[in-house]
Amino acid sequence: MKNVLRLLLVSAMSFFASFTQASLIVDYTQTTPVDVCDQCTVSSSINVTEHGSIFDLNVIVNLLHSFNPDVTLWLTHDNISVLLVNQVEPIGANFENTRFDDEASQSIYSGISYAPYTGSFRPDQALSAFTGADTFGIWTLSATDNWEGDSGVLNSWRIQVDVPEPSPVILIGLGILALGLRRNINR
Amino acid sequence: MKPTTFFKNLCTPLCVGALLGGISATSHAEFSISATKSAGGTLTHYTIDTDAGLVFTVRAYDNGSNTQAAGDIGSLKYKGVEYSDQSRGTQLNSGADWLYTGISAVGVTAELVDADGNSTAPAIPNSGETATTYASDFIKITLTSDNLTGGVLTHYYLVKRGEARIYMGTHFTQQPNVHGLVRFLIRTPIGALPNGPAIGTAESAGAPFANGTWSYDLRETSGAIESADVFGITTGTYAGETRSKHYSNAKLKDWKFLGGTNATHTVGLWMVRDNHEGDSGGPFYRSLLQQITSTTNEITYMINYGEAQTEPFRVNRLNHYMMIFTDGSTPPTSFDTAWFGKMNLLGYVPPEDRGSVSLQGIVGQDTRYPYTVAFANADAQYWADADANGQATASGMLPGTYTMNIYKNELKVASRSVNVSPGTTTLESLISVVADPLGPNTGTGTSSSNNNAAFYLNSGDPSLTPALFRIGEWDGTPQEFVNGDKVTRMHPQDVRLSPWAPGTYVVGTSVPNTGWPAYQWKDPAANGTLTIQFKLKAAQIAQTAKYKLRVGITSSYSRARPVININGTTSGVPGISTQPTTRTLTVGSYRGNNTIYDFNIAASQLVAGINTLQISAASGNSGTKFLSPGYSFDAIDLVKNP
């Protein structure tokens, strides 16, 4: 009975930990350039070795390409794929420090968004599709050059993930639980 | 009120004191008005002593000079130094006797007004004498000029005891028709006031360049290069630069006062403006304000002005402003007018009879730009700056129905009608900025007829429509283009400007501030045809789609409008937009009526690969170089027309 109560206590603390004010940033960058050839699809990967439940996710891309309307970018992880941008209309070159952020004030397609798209933009599909997934594992950015005549280089990309940090309450609770189990063992 | 005292006209103050046994010469330092008659019995002038170091005279008669008039400030002495040019004086327009065609009579009257608003006339002397009347609170001089068709202009000089200030009010029931403007011009001898505002003087018009020179200082110029009001410098440090009174301009909402200082910066002479409710042109209007020559420093307070004007003149308003002497420091940026209610001024509306408008916010603001909320009707104009949430409050408004325009920088992007009631704040709900509809032009193809080229006035924000390419920003100004940051302060030929033909603009490579000019002219000697190259992929050219090229202008001179050539096919010539009828581009103003020209482009006119677009300025008028027909750019973009 006591064990059941302890289990319930830990579960409750875990639940309330999701509302904790503190968070960790899981921040990984891939700097190995990848050529984006004409009319082909290439990919680049980041291996995240930390576990954490995704609360919020942003992606920053540095892609040199001579014709933005050619380009499609996808982010994939754990069998979830999100379309970041697909063949923007305005003629221009490059995505320089382009930050895809669901909370950005303007869409990547808005009338006032232009090459080299430096700043924050809402992606084509919401990155919230990853909310609740585990950060651990392979993240893949795919870049497609759709039309003949231009090419580029994916110079770097970066993911920034907000992961809730366990609250002091849950830590104390876990500590108490651990003490309780130890006492039982010692008896 | 002290007893009036009579003086012999030719006596010195000491002589007078000796004759009358003990009347101190310092009595001239007290708040007073003195009326003087000539030997022939003509009341020649009033002398007002402010009891604050400022003593000035108002001419009360027509002296026969064609540069001077009754109602002029003939003398303007501060601490004993003369600040009014004696050959022409300081005056309304070019003299109150030259306001209305055929009218030269000017009425000049004087009053003393006490704290309760009771008015009495000053003592009038015998011929050849001066009579001084001491005042308790206020002195008021009134000029009137009656038009043949029943219009009346009334101008006031108002003085408060102990202030080195002359408050002025100008009211007219008909617009003076001799010069097409209403102004008050202070002509100061250059020796007394050799300087304009200093570097960094906030809220002043006529701020100098970083090197300390003023764009309206003609002292080193060697002759006119355009008309009789734009000058060039041919030798010395500033050879190739240009100067003009027109380049003293500033956006009306950006300045509160103009003027300058003496050689040692220990005396400042300034004009402080009012809310300009009776002016025309809105918050972004620019006009000449000051001119410095080898003989005078001319401070021009424009009540209204026809140059580069976009609105009709407003009448039946009391336009008030203030001349002030300081210790060299800048003046206050506003002044109390509550006491005007005691002065019996034509057109005065007290604060309690005015209202306010409070806008709760603007939805869809572009955070890169300031937003202005402006109000206008036939009677008055007002404006207020919007905060980051789009909230704005305009107060002190005359009751009535106004058009409220929301400006993104200087481009109107939303509009609504509002009502103002006396003593009330009208709460206006949120107003949304939406994408501007893609114009009414329904023409198709490449016909040489006009149905594929048209113009219209935007109602929303054109930038909210995604474009295949865009050059510049839709904000109602050319300031992001080549020379766009300088064109209000110098002539287009000025040596400090970059070449007006920067070469082919390559979309995706070129940038506006080095690749596209702020202005375009018909004459190739200025810049002529401009070329844009842009690349399209086959997938971007939907054969069933229609495209629009939008060319936005902020003003046009001499009926100029754009025509385009896309990959060898020339459009029709669109109609002529409504713009100021005067010079604009060469006299420091790009501020006309924002207009969008749009051209329908069929998919068949576009090619996969490099497309070449040429824009030329068309007009039936001619002219040479910078006086050829031309316009100022706002932005250019190519959009799909669904």
Side-chain angles (χ1 to χ4, degrees), chain B residues 187-522:
Chain B
R187 290 192 186 85
T188 305
I190 194 61
L193 204 78
N195 301 307
I199 293 175
T201 303
E203 297 184 289
S204 72
F209 292 110
N211 63 5
T213 59
W214 294 283
S215 54
Y216 46 90
D217 185 346
L218 310 186
R219 285 176 287 191
E220 293 188 57
T221 62
S222 52
I225 61 166
E226 180 179 300
S227 188
D229 55 7
V230 182
F231 299 85
I233 300 174
T234 55
T235 59
T237 304
Y238 307 115
E241 295 187 8
T242 55
R243 303 280 190 271
S244 172
K245 60 185 178 183
H246 295 294
Y247 305 142
S248 61
N249 74 80
K251 278 188 290 189
L252 182 57
K253 70 186 296 287
D254 284 346
W255 67 271
K256 300 290 193 299
F257 56 87
L258 66 152
T261 58
N262 67 352
T264 54
H265 307 293
T266 53
V267 173
L269 172 57
W270 312 96
M271 274 293 223
V272 181
R273 74 165 180 83
D274 68 345
N275 61 7
H276 263 254
E277 64 184 6
D279 196 356
S280 300
F284 312 116
Y285 179 67
R286 297 173 178 269
S287 76
L288 73 90
L289 294 167
Q290 194 160 356
Q291 175 170 266
I292 296 176
T293 73
S294 59
T295 57
T296 53
N297 187 341
E298 299 170 1
I299 301 167
T300 306
Y301 189 81
M302 282 297 183
I303 295 155
N304 66 38
Y305 191 33
E307 184 128 309
Q309 184 55 255
T310 57
E311 289 186 316
F313 291 131
R314 294 180 168 93
V315 295
N316 293 311
R317 294 278 66 81
L318 180 66
N319 303 278
H320 46 77
Y321 40 103
M322 179 182 73
M323 182 198 302
I324 179 173
F325 283 90
T326 69
D327 59 358
S329 59
T330 54
T333 55
S334 61
F335 49 95
D336 170 47
T337 59
W339 54 279
F340 280 20
K342 303 180 191 301
M343 304 302 290
N344 191 28
L345 304 178
L346 191 61
Y348 175 71
V349 179
E352 59 267 25
D353 290 343
R354 294 172 178 261
S356 303
V357 175
S358 183
L359 176 65
Q360 293 188 357
I362 302 169
V363 178
Q365 282 190 113
D366 185 336
T367 56
R368 298 174 296 168
Y369 297 98
Y371 280 70
T372 302
V373 182
F375 305 85
N377 63 16
D379 298 322
Q381 60 174 15
Y382 306 93
W383 58 85
D385 291 335
D387 67 15
N389 298 314
Q391 295 173 337
T393 297
S395 54
M397 298 174 66
L398 293 173
T401 300
Y402 293 83
T403 300
M404 178 178 74
N405 290 321
I406 309 300
Y407 286 92
K408 167 191 165 187
N409 206 5
E410 296 185 37
L411 180 70
K412 183 188 74 175
V413 291
S415 184
R416 179 193 288 173
S417 178
V418 302
N419 292 312
V420 177
S421 300
T424 303
T425 298
T426 301
L427 296 178
E428 283 293 318
S429 59
L430 296 174
I431 189 166
S432 294
V433 176
V434 299
D436 187 48
L438 289 179
N441 184 4
T442 57
T444 59
T446 60
S447 167
S448 60
S449 67
N450 287 349
N451 68 350
N452 70 339
F455 71 89
Y456 63 97
L457 305 183
N458 69 294
S459 59
D461 188 348
S463 67
L464 295 180
T465 300
L468 288 165
F469 73 81
R470 180 170 297 148
I471 301 172
E473 298 284 352
W474 292 103
D475 72 338
T477 83
Q479 291 172 342
E480 68 271 34
F481 296 121
V482 175
N483 298 323
D485 61 335
K486 300 183 182 65
V487 289
T488 61
R489 307 190 71 190
M490 58 191 71
H491 191 271
Q493 76 169 50
D494 198 288
V495 70
R496 291 167 288 181
L497 298 178
S498 299
W500 284 101
T504 297
Y505 189 97
V506 180
V507 174
T509 303
S510 303
V511 292
N513 67 351
T514 57
W516 192 261
Y519 295 166
Q520 181 178 22
W521 289 271
K522 180 179 179 181

Side-chain angles (χ1 to χ4, degrees), chain A residues 67 70 89-91 111 147 150, chain B residues 463 468 470 535 537 539 640:
Chain A
F67 202 70
D70 273 4
E89 277 205 307
I91 300 163
W147 303 105
D150 292 274
Chain B
S463 67
L468 288 165
R470 180 170 297 148
K535 182 164 69 175
K537 296 294 176 74
K640 273 188 185 167

Side-chain angles (χ1 to χ4, degrees), chain B residues 50-287:
Chain B
T50 64
D51 194 19
L54 171 61
V55 178
F56 66 98
T57 67
V58 177
R59 187 172 295 107
Y61 79 119
D62 183 354
N63 65 358
S65 166
N66 62 4
T67 58
Q68 298 175 345
D72 289 356
I73 292 179
S75 173
L76 185 69
K77 283 189 177 178
Y78 181 64
K79 297 184 177 178
V81 177
E82 179 62 64
Y83 286 90
S84 182
D85 172 59
Q86 294 299 287
S87 64
R88 294 195 63 183
T90 286
Q91 60 193 181
L92 194 62
N93 279 29
S94 294
D97 62 349
W98 204 22
L99 297 171
Y100 296 107
T101 304
I103 303 299
S104 61
V106 179
V108 181
T109 59
E111 298 168 70
L112 300 95
V113 183
D114 67 16
D116 296 322
N118 299 308
S119 167
T120 56
I124 301 299
N126 296 321
S127 296
E129 295 182 348
T130 296
T132 298
T133 310
Y134 296 94
S136 59
D137 300 282
F138 309 104
I139 293 172
K140 170 185 171 186
I141 307 288
T142 304
L143 320 179
T144 52
S145 176
D146 294 342
N147 193 358
L148 284 171
T149 56
V152 179
L153 183 142
T154 307
H155 179 79
Y156 304 103
Y157 298 113
L158 306 167
V159 182
K160 283 176 76 174
R161 184 191 192 103
E163 291 187 348
R165 305 180 182 191
I166 305 175
Y167 298 85
M168 300 189 214
T170 308
H171 178 282
F172 41 96
T173 61
Q174 288 183 6
Q175 173 74 14
N177 57 5
V178 172
H179 294 108
L181 57 85
V182 183
R183 69 180 181 195
F184 193 88
L185 177 50
I186 306 172
R187 290 192 186 85
T188 305
I190 194 61
L193 204 78
N195 301 307
I199 293 175
T201 303
E203 297 184 289
S204 72
F209 292 110
N211 63 5
T213 59
W214 294 283
S215 54
Y216 46 90
D217 185 346
L218 310 186
R219 285 176 287 191
E220 293 188 57
T221 62
S222 52
I225 61 166
E226 180 179 300
S227 188
D229 55 7
V230 182
F231 299 85
I233 300 174
T234 55
T235 59
T237 304
Y238 307 115
E241 295 187 8
T242 55
R243 303 280 190 271
S244 172
K245 60 185 178 183
H246 295 294
Y247 305 142
S248 61
N249 74 80
K251 278 188 290 189
L252 182 57
K253 70 186 296 287
D254 284 346
W255 67 271
K256 300 290 193 299
F257 56 87
L258 66 152
T261 58
N262 67 352
T264 54
H265 307 293
T266 53
V267 173
L269 172 57
W270 312 96
M271 274 293 223
V272 181
R273 74 165 180 83
D274 68 345
N275 61 7
H276 263 254
E277 64 184 6
D279 196 356
S280 300
F284 312 116
Y285 179 67
R286 297 173 178 269
S287 76

Side-chain angles (χ1 to χ4, degrees), chain A:
Chain A
M1 186 58 181
K2 286 183 181 178
N3 285 338
V4 172
L5 287 173
R6 288 183 187 124
L7 189 60
L8 285 172
L9 175 63
V10 170
S11 299
M13 289 178 171
S14 299
F15 174 76
F16 286 111
S18 67
F19 295 99
T20 182
Q21 295 179 357
S23 65
L24 296 172
I25 303 294
V26 174
D27 193 336
Y28 280 75
T29 301
Q30 174 59 265
T31 59
T32 302
V34 177
D35 287 337
V36 181
C37 42
D38 195 10
Q39 289 191 291
C40 60
T41 297
V42 299
S43 61
S44 172
S45 297
I46 290 174
N47 184 21
V48 175
T49 56
E50 297 167 60
H51 289 277
S53 176
I54 297 172
F55 182 67
D56 185 51
L57 166 69
N58 300 317
V59 184
I60 298 100
V61 174
N62 276 285
L63 170 65
L64 297 182
H65 194 285
S66 52
F67 202 70
N68 292 112
D70 273 4
V71 175
T72 301
L73 296 176
W74 287 90
L75 179 68
T76 302
H77 171 71
D78 201 16
N79 293 319
I80 300 170
S81 290
V82 168
L83 178 62
L84 300 178
V85 60
N86 183 29
Q87 302 178 74
V88 285
E89 277 205 307
I91 300 163
N94 307 330
F95 293 91
E96 295 179 11
N97 285 316
T98 306
R99 179 188 181 93
F100 294 96
D101 182 347
D102 288 352
E103 284 71 46
S105 60
Q106 62 195 55
S107 162
I108 192 71
Y109 301 118
S110 81
I112 59 175
S113 301
Y114 278 93
Y117 298 95
T118 303
S120 294
F121 303 88
R122 294 194 304 278
D124 189 304
Q125 297 176 348
L127 289 162
S128 59
F130 293 105
T131 300
D134 189 352
T135 56
F136 182 85
I138 301 296
W139 293 79
T140 302
L141 182 70
S142 302
T144 300
D145 178 292
N146 290 283
W147 303 105
E148 183 182 5
D150 292 274
S151 59
V153 178
L154 175 63
N155 274 329
S156 68
W157 66 286
R158 176 182 180 188
I159 53 171
Q160 292 179 324
V161 187
D162 277 1
V163 175
E165 180 179 12
S167 74
V169 172
I170 185 63
L171 289 172
I172 290 170
L174 288 171
I176 292 171
L177 177 63
L179 279 174
L181 288 172
R182 184 185 172 114
R183 286 180 64 188
N184 282 339
I185 292 169
N186 288 339
R187 284 175 187 160

